[in-house]
Amino acid sequence: MAKATMVFGLLLLFLVLELNTNIGPKAAKGDVEIDCGAKCEYRCSEASRHNMCIRACNTCCDRCHCVPPGTSGHEDVCPCYANMTTHGGRHKCP
């Protein structure tokens, strides 16, 4: 009986580790793959400093996995994007 319990425990441990490896971390983080390049290209399409906007937007998108819709505003859709600041305390994301 003790061997059966130990085997069952090991199998259960293996199952938990396998599930955690395959779906656990990604599901826990809520990572969603989005095309940052395309989203930022549209977001920065009307910016006067296009290259700087693209660089900042891609950084924000990589960290937040979100880019607000439109060319400006609508930051309430992506709180992480809206709250990111530079070292100087200025708003980072376009």
Side-chain angles (χ1 to χ4, degrees):
M1 185 69 165
K3 282 187 179 183
T5 304
M6 186 155 74
V7 169
F8 179 73
L10 288 173
L11 286 173
L12 187 60
L13 178 64
F14 177 74
L15 177 64
V16 168
L17 290 174
E18 190 66 27
L19 286 173
N20 191 33
T21 301
N22 290 331
I23 62 171
K26 193 153 187 125
K29 287 181 190 173
D31 288 345
V32 176
E33 293 294 324
I34 67 168
D35 185 2
C36 289
K39 296 262 188 188
C40 288
E41 188 63 41
Y42 180 71
R43 180 81 176 167
C44 296
S45 63
E46 297 178 8
S48 60
R49 300 183 73 185
H50 185 74
N51 289 338
M52 181 182 273
C53 181
I54 290 288
R55 189 171 56 241
C57 181
N58 278 313
T59 299
C60 296
C61 180
D62 287 341
R63 292 180 187 169
C64 297
H65 307 288
C66 182
V67 175
T71 56
S72 65
H74 307 289
E75 292 175 343
D76 55 319
V77 176
C78 302
C80 168
Y81 191 97
N83 296 327
M84 197 176 298
T85 58
T86 64
H87 292 290
R90 297 180 63 199
H91 187 70
K92 180 176 184 70
C93 306

